[in-house]
Amino acid sequence: QVQLVESGGGLVQAGGSLRLSCAVSGSIFSINAMGWYRQAPGKQREWVATIITEGGIMYAEFVKGRFTISRDNAKSTVYLQMNSLKPEDTAVYYCHAVRSGSTYWGQGTQVTVSS
């Protein structure tokens, strides 16, 4: 089974940066795709970015040019580097993985951006 553990959330001022990490149990090569979603209070969970095993990367339009998704295969970890943060980026950020057609979620990490 797949287990995902997020870390790196916190409080940052607008314009600042944070790097989120998602540690994956087992080999990251067992995962077909990984990504990040976020959910603010009263809002629908929205997709942020995805990286597939073969290296393809996709971003939501609202984070292009500001966020970068990457992975470290040796550490079985996926990262989300968030720059130029805005108050509207405030949300719980969830790590997401797909393996053999099944979807898995981490418990989330809170990101708060102050104005």
Side-chain angles (χ1 to χ4, degrees):
Q1 57 183 356
V2 175
Q3 291 183 316
L4 309 173
V5 180
E6 302 100 328
S7 62
L11 175 65
V12 65
Q13 289 187 310
S17 298
L18 286 172
R19 188 179 74 162
L20 307 184
S21 299
C22 176
V24 183
S25 63
S27 174
I28 197 168
F29 292 107
S30 69
I31 307 298
N32 301 121
M34 294 193 66
W36 293 92
Y37 286 70
R38 70 187 188 186
Q39 188 168 24
K43 302 285 188 177
Q44 292 286 321
R45 186 171 296 189
E46 61 185 354
W47 169 72
V48 174
T50 293
I51 183 167
I52 64 174
T53 301
E54 293 76 15
I57 294 173
M58 297 166 284
Y59 295 102
E61 288 294 328
F62 56 81
V63 302
K64 283 185 176 179
R66 300 190 298 123
F67 292 8
T68 303
I69 188 170
S70 62
R71 69 185 180 207
D72 185 329
N73 293 335
K75 296 181 178 180
S76 295
T77 300
V78 171
Y79 303 96
L80 184 68
Q81 178 66 45
M82 305 184 294
N83 299 326
S84 302
L85 283 162
K86 306 173 181 179
E88 52 262 44
D89 294 319
T90 295
V92 177
Y93 283 71
Y94 296 92
C95 187
H96 166 259
V98 176
R99 187 181 71 178
S100 300
S102 297
T103 298
Y104 304 88
W105 296 96
Q107 293 301 302
T109 185
Q110 177 71 49
V111 171
T112 302
V113 184
S114 62
S115 60

